[in-house]
């Protein structure tokens, strides 16, 4: 690999609270090592259009506590083509960048692997997604903030559920994984949690809801992970009135949506993002690339990026069991 002199840093895919804290950590750690840092705006799209700006200590002041990403983000279709990636690689070389820190989810890391494999860049990934679905880290940047935001909303809905003796179906994000739903469901004491990892058909969900009703629950909260498996809360809601067991049910659906992606990062996310940003730069300095840095059992761990996006992080069965026992 060419000598490490300039690191490009970018965020891509869904924004996650704590991405700014990570950009700050990458920038400051690299500057301490005497390296130049180039911020790439709008993720892979900005790489293709050459939207680069040198980052100084001051350019990352006062961003630690903010949500979103100062570098902007996006999902680029052009980068999915070889021609798009070739253009991105040319622009990076022209800007003197030979190493990259990619902050994002599995799509971002997949893109980084392609840059490494096809064009020889040294890349290190930082897991940044509220979904927490990346293999190789116990938690990803943004997850803690997202679950606290969702929990705050669910607690508020509980007041109405209780006052009106209603059943609420609350849909949370997570793409095709249930980490957000499980954490929020446990935290909110949801009477039922529906996650794709434990695929249930609509009939078994209806049976469990009927059971809940017969236990004289005057109000109930069901937390449902979005995703392809059951098509979310609306589909379940539409199936209930057709069943005579639910004729008297007072039912409402709330889809929390993008509120879960915004807001100031929690202390936990700020610390995690700072640790990971620093670890990413140190990894490049030590000559370890094509890896994602994560935190496993409290310690920084490097996992080959190809392994991260090819393996599936699974929900801990004990946690699922725990929810079933106490909720
Ligand atoms: O990956 C983060 C996430 O918020 C998912 O939970 C959700 O399915 C998706 O992004 C939504 O993406 P978009 O903001 O592009 O609609």
């Amino acid at each position: 690999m060419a000598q490490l002199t300039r690191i490009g840093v970018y965020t891509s895919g869904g924004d996650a609270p704590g991405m700014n804290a990570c950009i700050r950590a990458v920038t400051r750690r690299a500057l301490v090592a005497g390296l130049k840092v180039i911020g790439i705006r709008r993720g892979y799209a900005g790489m293709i259009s050459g939207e680069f700006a040198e980052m100084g200590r001051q350019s990352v002041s006062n961003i630690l506590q903010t949500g979103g990403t100062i570098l902007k983000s996006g999902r680029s279709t052009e980068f999915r083509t070889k021609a798009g990636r070739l253009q991105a690689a040319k622009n990076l070389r022209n800007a003197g960048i030979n190493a990259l820190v990619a902050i994002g989810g599995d799509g971002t890391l997949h893109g980084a692997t392609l840059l490494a494999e096809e064009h020889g860049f040294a890349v290190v990934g930082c897991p940044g997604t509220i979904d927490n679905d990346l293999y190789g880290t116990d938690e990803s940047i943004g997850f803690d903030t997202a679950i606290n935001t969702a929990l705050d909303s669910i607690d508020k809905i509980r007041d109405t559920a209780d006052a009106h003796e209603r059943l609420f179906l609350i849909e949370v994000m997570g793409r095709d994984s249930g980490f957000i739903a499980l954490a929020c469901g446990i935290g909110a004491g949801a009477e039922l949690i529906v996650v794709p990892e434990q695929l249930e058909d609509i009939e078994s969900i209806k049976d469990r809801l009927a059971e809940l009703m017969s236990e004289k629950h005057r109000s109930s909260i069901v937390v449902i992970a979005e995703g392809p498996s059951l098509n979310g809360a609306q589909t379940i809601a539409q199936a209930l009135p057709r069943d005579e067991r639910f004729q008297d049910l007072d039912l409402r659906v709330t889809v929390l949506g993008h509120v879960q992606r915004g807001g100031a990062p929690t202390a936990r996310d700020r610390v995690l993002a700072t640790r990971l940003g620093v670890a990413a730069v140190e990894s490049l300095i030590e000559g370890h690339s094509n890896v994602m840095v994560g935190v496993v059992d409290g310690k920084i761990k490097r996992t080959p990026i190809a392994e991260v996006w090819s393996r599936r992080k699974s929900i801990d069965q004990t946690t699922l069991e725990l929810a079933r026992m106490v909720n």
Side-chain angles (χ1 to χ4, degrees), residues 192 200-213 235-246:
L192 186 60
E200 300 184 66
D201 56 29
I202 196 83
E203 290 309 318
S204 68
I205 291 174
K206 284 200 299 194
D207 289 347
R208 286 168 67 185
L209 284 175
E211 218 174 284
L212 269 178
M213 301 298 121
T235 313
I236 299 176
Q238 278 157 13
L240 297 185
R242 292 198 288 270
D243 186 315
E244 61 180 21
R245 291 174 293 176
F246 303 108

Side-chain angles (χ1 to χ4, degrees), residues 14 75 129-131 173-175 180 226 258 261:
R75 307 185 203 273
T129 166
I130 64 164
D131 301 335
M173 280 188 166
R175 212 160 34 152
I180 296 180
E226 67 170 358
H258 286 80
R261 286 242 293 266

Side-chain angles (χ1 to χ4, degrees), residues 23-70:
I23 295 166
R24 172 180 177 269
V26 167
T27 304
R28 294 213 166 153
R29 179 63 187 90
L31 292 176
V32 165
L35 301 166
K36 292 227 183 284
V37 182
I38 310 297
I40 301 162
R41 281 169 61 85
R42 299 174 50 241
Y44 293 112
M47 224 178 251
I48 293 171
S49 53
E51 295 174 53
F52 304 150
E54 189 166 341
M55 314 274 281
R57 234 191 116 71
Q58 294 308 319
S59 53
V60 291
S61 286
N62 246 330
I63 64 166
L64 174 74
Q65 72 281 19
T66 60
T69 156
I70 59 160

Side-chain angles (χ1 to χ4, degrees), residues 40 47 52 88-97 100 115 121:
I40 301 162
M47 224 178 251
F52 304 150
K90 272 186 193 157
N91 290 341
L92 291 169
R93 297 254 185 260
N94 287 342
I97 298 168
L100 294 161
L115 282 173
F121 288 93

